[in-house]
Amino acid sequence: DVGSQKERVVTEEEWLQKWEMGNIGFHKEEGHPLLQKYLDVLLNGRSGLRIFFPLCGKAVEMKWLADMGHSVVGVEISEQAVKEFFSEHSLPYCEEPVPEISGAKMFQSTSGNISLYCCSIYDLSSSIVGKFDGVWDRGALVAVNPRDRQRYASLMINLVEKNSSYLLVTVSYDPNKHKGPPFYVPESEIQSLFG
Ligand code: SAH
């Protein structure tokens, strides 16, 4: 019974506040073991991929993949998170407005292989960011408000190339015991969202 979580909404302001308060238990300094485990599935023998990190926070896996020669694009509403990513990895970056999205900024490593959009993911489209060969979705679908899941999934489907790999991490628990996020997204719902 996931009914208990259906109506829950975490606002953008609340996410910004979590970052300000350092209330970011979701951030993993060592990176995620499941990306290491399934890296071959993501890459499928290919090099120089464009990899998307929805709701990226300051995920260290962005640095891993960039160091392997891939091009990384992330989106995150918290500017603090984006700046902490670059400073914690001692990466010089530049910052520019995104003409298509009012108020949005794009932060790009000087080397050019990591571009982080600071805006809501719902403002993005493939005409702005292009299409991706791979997606690392950890703390993203499960952080999306349940009422927005369909919109999120449709957008993600639009942002990927035909021959792409999408790694999705979900969490399994009794949704009556925790309000989330991370929200519980049952397998059956993933099937109906992504087909
Ligand atoms: N994927 C990251 C962060 C997970 S927490 C990791 O693995 O560590 C979810 C993140 O999504 C938070 O940093 C929050 O600020 C951001 N976020 C929430 N709603 C968003 C939205 N609509 N658009 C972009 N980022 C959002």
Side-chain angles (χ1 to χ4, degrees):
D1 174 22
V2 294
S4 50
Q5 292 188 339
K6 235 177 39 210
E7 318 292 332
R8 173 143 161 81
V9 172
V10 179
T11 63
E12 294 190 4
E13 265 56 49
E14 290 175 90
W15 282 110
L16 298 183
Q17 244 162 40
K18 286 181 200 281
W19 280 99
E20 271 164 42
M21 308 293 288
N23 193 359
I24 53 163
F26 52 81
H27 177 67
K28 295 272 167 278
E29 212 60 66
E30 289 80 41
H32 208 293
L34 286 172
L35 179 56
Q36 270 158 332
K37 183 167 178 196
Y38 291 102
L39 185 63
D40 291 345
V41 175
L42 182 65
L43 303 181
N44 195 16
R46 304 167 297 172
S47 55
L49 301 185
R50 297 193 76 227
I51 300 184
F52 186 49
F53 281 68
L55 282 65
C56 61
K58 53 175 180 177
V60 300
E61 297 87 351
M62 298 194 283
K63 177 74 167 44
W64 292 358
L65 286 159
D67 286 346
M68 289 176 217
H70 305 289
S71 163
V72 168
V73 175
V75 61
E76 167 57 53
I77 41 163
S78 164
E79 182 167 331
Q80 180 185 339
V82 169
K83 287 184 166 165
E84 285 180 13
F85 172 79
F86 287 112
S87 67
E88 288 172 13
H89 295 283
S90 310
L91 290 169
Y93 64 92
C94 54
E95 161 179 349
E96 53 187 61
V98 182
E100 299 93 336
I101 311 170
S102 94
K105 288 188 216 166
M106 199 262 276
F107 295 76
Q108 189 172 54
S109 60
T110 307
S111 53
N113 54 354
I114 303 178
S115 306
L116 305 185
Y117 286 80
C118 187
C119 60
S120 171
I121 188 167
Y122 304 113
D123 293 331
L124 293 185
S125 65
S126 57
S127 61
I128 301 170
V129 291
K131 296 211 183 218
F132 298 96
D133 309 300
V135 176
W136 173 244
D137 184 325
R138 182 269 170 180
L141 173 67
V142 298
V144 162
N145 291 320
R147 63 168 192 199
D148 298 324
R149 267 178 209 154
Q150 185 63 62
R151 185 181 179 198
Y152 173 85
S154 305
L155 172 61
M156 294 304 292
I157 289 167
N158 255 288
L159 289 181
V160 295
E161 298 278 8
K162 286 227 160 49
N163 277 311
S164 54
S165 322
Y166 192 122
L167 294 188
L168 171 66
V169 183
T170 61
V171 284
S172 185
Y173 65 90
D174 181 349
N176 295 304
K177 296 206 170 125
H178 305 273
K179 60 185 174 147
F183 297 108
Y184 171 56
V185 188
E187 184 76 32
S188 57
E189 192 171 344
I190 294 164
Q191 287 297 334
S192 67
L193 288 170
F194 293 95

PDB file of all heavy atoms in Angstrom, residues 3 44 68 106 115:
ATOM      1  N   GLY A   3      -0.353   4.098  -0.904  1.00  0.00           N
ATOM      2  CA  GLY A   3      -1.293   5.206  -0.805  1.00  0.00           C
ATOM      3  C   GLY A   3      -0.841   6.262   0.186  1.00  0.00           C
ATOM      4  O   GLY A   3      -1.069   7.458  -0.022  1.00  0.00           O
ATOM      5  N   ASN A  44      28.496  -0.536 -21.690  1.00  0.00           N
ATOM      6  CA  ASN A  44      28.290  -1.514 -22.756  1.00  0.00           C
ATOM      7  C   ASN A  44      29.405  -1.460 -23.799  1.00  0.00           C
ATOM      8  O   ASN A  44      29.154  -1.473 -25.009  1.00  0.00           O
ATOM      9  CB  ASN A  44      26.914  -1.263 -23.397  1.00  0.00           C
ATOM     10  CG  ASN A  44      26.453  -2.422 -24.245  1.00  0.00           C
ATOM     11  OD1 ASN A  44      26.989  -3.530 -24.131  1.00  0.00           O
ATOM     12  ND2 ASN A  44      25.486  -2.174 -25.113  1.00  0.00           N
ATOM     13  N   MET A  68      36.795   9.038 -16.582  1.00  0.00           N
ATOM     14  CA  MET A  68      36.906   7.908 -17.530  1.00  0.00           C
ATOM     15  C   MET A  68      36.753   8.361 -18.965  1.00  0.00           C
ATOM     16  O   MET A  68      36.736   7.529 -19.880  1.00  0.00           O
ATOM     17  CB  MET A  68      35.812   6.870 -17.243  1.00  0.00           C
ATOM     18  CG  MET A  68      35.998   6.093 -15.970  1.00  0.00           C
ATOM     19  SD  MET A  68      34.540   5.014 -15.740  1.00  0.00           S
ATOM     20  CE  MET A  68      34.341   5.093 -13.987  1.00  0.00           C
ATOM     21  N   MET A 106      24.162  27.622 -15.984  1.00  0.00           N
ATOM     22  CA  MET A 106      24.884  26.394 -16.273  1.00  0.00           C
ATOM     23  C   MET A 106      26.315  26.569 -15.765  1.00  0.00           C
ATOM     24  O   MET A 106      26.964  27.558 -16.067  1.00  0.00           O
ATOM     25  CB  MET A 106      24.870  26.129 -17.775  1.00  0.00           C
ATOM     26  CG  MET A 106      25.184  24.701 -18.129  1.00  0.00           C
ATOM     27  SD  MET A 106      26.864  24.522 -18.589  1.00  0.00           S
ATOM     28  CE  MET A 106      26.776  24.974 -20.304  1.00  0.00           C
ATOM     29  N   SER A 115      28.959  19.490 -17.120  1.00  0.00           N
ATOM     30  CA  SER A 115      28.064  20.648 -17.196  1.00  0.00           C
ATOM     31  C   SER A 115      26.892  20.430 -16.261  1.00  0.00           C
ATOM     32  O   SER A 115      26.153  19.460 -16.418  1.00  0.00           O
ATOM     33  CB  SER A 115      27.515  20.819 -18.618  1.00  0.00           C
ATOM     34  OG  SER A 115      28.565  20.872 -19.549  1.00  0.00           O
TER      35      SER A 115
END
